[in-house]
Amino acid sequence: MSVMSQRADSVFVSSLGKGDSLHQQVLAAFPLCQISEEDLIQNPQFCKLLATLSQHVDRTGLTQHLRRDREKAERELHTQRLGWLRLESVHRVLREIIQENRFSKASSTLTAEDKFYSTLEQCLMVAQCVKQMDVSSDSSEDHSGVLGLTAERVKRQMPPEQEVLEMKQRLPSELLQHLKKKAVSILTYYQPEWENESEGLRSVKLSKLPELLDTEQKRAKSLTEKNRENGTLLQRQTHTYLSELLKCMNILQCLILDLRLKAQKDLDRKKIEYFEAKCEIGLQKIRAEMLEVQLDTYTRDKIAAHKKITEKLKVELKSSEVDKQAVESKLASFEIYGKDFEALAEEYSRLQQEIGTKSWALKEFST
């Protein structure tokens, strides 16, 4: 049996449609359910269950039997409500008639016109009190109300029977006249251009007022139903939009993360290059400072050596001049010796040359 039922369900579901058409049929059959087409795609068995269930229930989820019972109860409720509305409408119109007469009355003298309205008002008041007491149809029970009042005692406050009879004879015409006035007000509200029409044409228009109101009511119901369907569709589209938006946000987050990692890699590389260049510049500055220190040290050493050589050459120059003077004195004292003088002359020439050389060296080191 289970195999046969499964085959029957599969044949039945296949007859409904496949793929997107089946999903659309299920969504259309259950507009009040908060499901999306993506949910049906992810749960195919649940989609088949809803497709099968859509043949046994209506759009609101009721079966055929429950729907018939509900329609019957709605018809009965409509009938009772219509009867109550008739009585309530007549009662309210009568109250309006009384209030209009009370506000429009200019004098305090009691006329036949005022007698009609006072009788009507008293009858309405007694009827309202009896209704408020909620008297049961079982007369065997004691229904004493506030202060021991009963329905019979309240009804004794009715006007005399003759006045009630006269009021009832006049009431239909007054009621018809008041209703006609209200109908004219409603008509001029929907069609302001008919306000200045003749009485005959206005009567013809008033005969078409129920059709106009019925058309307006049907249009309002149609717009209400359309608004509800649009609301359901908007809610479904909003759910789909939010789902797609969430997916886009996840994709965007992944892209941002990847881009951030790539950018971080390039940034780290540029930072490394920057720090390398900065270190290189620092090393070059250190090398320049060290070279400058070495150059200063070399210059100071060279100057010190130059001073030492200069002092040494000065000492040697002084010593050579002393030797020169000694040779010159010897030359002057030994000129008379002939060949010995030549030897002294050569010695003198050698000393002169040596003095010249050392003087040149001293001059070079001094500059």
Side-chain angles (χ1 to χ4, degrees):
M1 288 294 293
S2 61
V3 175
M4 293 179 64
S5 62
Q6 291 178 359
R7 290 180 179 177
D9 292 340
S10 63
V11 173
F12 171 71
V13 172
S14 63
S15 65
L16 289 176
K18 294 182 179 179
D20 297 338
S21 61
L22 177 61
H23 299 155
Q24 296 299 328
Q25 291 177 11
V26 171
L27 292 175
F30 299 96
L32 302 180
C33 296
Q34 301 295 330
I35 55 176
S36 62
E37 187 173 358
E38 184 178 355
D39 298 331
L40 298 177
I41 294 174
Q42 294 178 357
N43 302 277
Q45 296 299 325
F46 179 64
C47 179
K48 293 180 181 179
L49 175 62
L50 292 179
T52 306
L53 189 61
S54 64
Q55 302 301 311
H56 303 283
V57 297
D58 59 2
R59 293 167 62 89
T60 61
L62 295 177
T63 62
Q64 300 295 331
H65 178 69
L66 289 176
R67 184 171 59 82
R68 286 193 295 268
D69 292 343
R70 189 189 68 174
E71 291 176 353
K72 181 180 178 181
E74 287 179 350
R75 286 193 297 270
E76 294 177 358
L77 178 62
H78 178 71
T79 303
Q80 295 181 4
R81 184 182 294 174
L82 187 61
W84 179 84
L85 284 174
R86 287 198 186 103
L87 296 176
E88 185 68 18
S89 299
V90 172
H91 181 266
R92 292 189 179 186
V93 171
L94 294 176
R95 298 297 300 178
E96 288 178 2
I97 293 174
I98 294 171
Q99 289 177 0
E100 288 180 1
N101 175 72
R102 183 180 299 171
F103 293 144
S104 62
K105 184 170 65 175
S107 62
S108 59
T109 57
L110 187 61
T111 61
E113 189 82 10
D114 296 333
K115 191 66 177 176
F116 166 76
Y117 290 114
S118 63
T119 303
L120 177 60
E121 183 176 6
Q122 190 172 356
C123 290
L124 288 176
M125 190 176 298
V126 171
Q128 187 175 2
C129 291
V130 173
K131 184 180 178 182
Q132 292 280 342
M133 294 176 69
D134 192 19
V135 179
S136 174
S137 61
D138 189 1
S139 59
S140 61
E141 298 179 1
D142 185 14
H143 296 287
S144 58
V146 180
L147 300 177
L149 293 175
T150 62
E152 294 298 330
R153 292 190 63 181
V154 173
K155 288 180 181 179
R156 292 175 191 172
Q157 304 299 320
M158 289 285 289
E161 187 175 354
Q162 183 63 29
E163 295 179 0
V164 174
L165 182 60
E166 293 176 358
M167 183 269 295
K168 288 183 178 180
Q169 290 176 354
R170 183 181 171 182
L171 184 60
S173 61
E174 292 288 337
L175 189 61
L176 181 61
Q177 184 179 358
H178 187 78
L179 290 175
K180 186 177 180 180
K181 188 187 297 184
K182 289 179 69 67
V184 170
S185 300
I186 296 174
L187 181 64
T188 54
Y189 174 78
Y190 280 100
Q191 302 292 339
E193 64 273 9
W194 292 350
E195 185 176 2
N196 299 323
E197 298 290 344
S198 63
E199 189 69 23
L201 185 58
R202 187 181 296 176
S203 299
V204 175
K205 299 293 186 181
L206 285 176
S207 63
K208 296 181 180 180
L209 182 60
E211 297 179 1
L212 177 62
L213 295 178
D214 187 59
T215 302
E216 290 291 331
Q217 186 178 10
K218 289 180 179 179
R219 189 173 70 87
K221 288 183 179 179
S222 176
L223 291 176
T224 303
E225 182 66 22
K226 188 176 180 180
N227 287 336
R228 188 179 67 179
E229 293 177 357
N230 290 337
T232 304
L233 179 62
L234 179 62
Q235 191 174 10
R236 188 183 302 123
Q237 290 179 350
T238 302
H239 183 269
T240 305
Y241 170 74
L242 291 176
S243 300
E244 295 297 328
L245 184 62
L246 185 60
K247 292 180 181 177
C248 293
M249 289 179 64
N250 292 331
I251 295 174
L252 184 61
Q253 187 175 6
C254 294
L255 291 176
I256 291 174
L257 184 59
D258 294 340
L259 183 61
R260 181 180 297 174
L261 292 176
K262 293 179 180 179
Q264 187 67 32
K265 182 179 179 181
D266 296 338
L267 182 62
D268 292 341
R269 181 176 55 79
K270 291 180 179 180
K271 283 184 177 180
I272 291 173
E273 293 177 355
Y274 168 74
F275 286 125
E276 287 179 351
K278 192 172 182 180
C279 292
E280 184 65 27
I281 293 173
L283 291 175
Q284 290 179 0
K285 288 182 178 180
I286 293 173
R287 290 172 182 171
E289 291 177 357
M290 291 179 64
L291 183 60
E292 186 177 356
V293 171
Q294 291 178 358
L295 183 60
D296 292 341
T297 304
Y298 173 75
T299 304
R300 287 195 298 270
D301 293 343
K302 185 176 181 182
I303 292 173
H306 181 268
K307 288 181 178 180
K308 290 180 179 180
I309 294 173
T310 302
E311 292 176 356
K312 183 179 181 180
L313 290 175
K314 286 181 178 180
V315 171
E316 291 181 355
L317 180 59
K318 289 180 179 180
S319 176
S320 298
E321 288 179 353
V322 171
D323 293 339
K324 177 183 177 184
Q325 292 177 358
V327 171
E328 285 179 351
S329 61
K330 285 182 180 182
L331 182 60
S333 59
F334 293 105
E335 277 182 349
I336 58 174
Y337 292 108
K339 293 181 179 179
D340 294 332
F341 178 77
E342 291 179 1
L344 289 174
E346 290 178 1
E347 180 67 19
Y348 176 78
S349 298
R350 184 183 63 79
L351 291 175
Q352 282 285 101
Q353 186 177 1
E354 185 177 353
I355 289 170
T357 302
K358 290 182 180 182
S359 297
W360 174 82
L362 181 60
K363 184 178 179 180
E364 289 294 325
F365 278 108
S366 298
T367 58

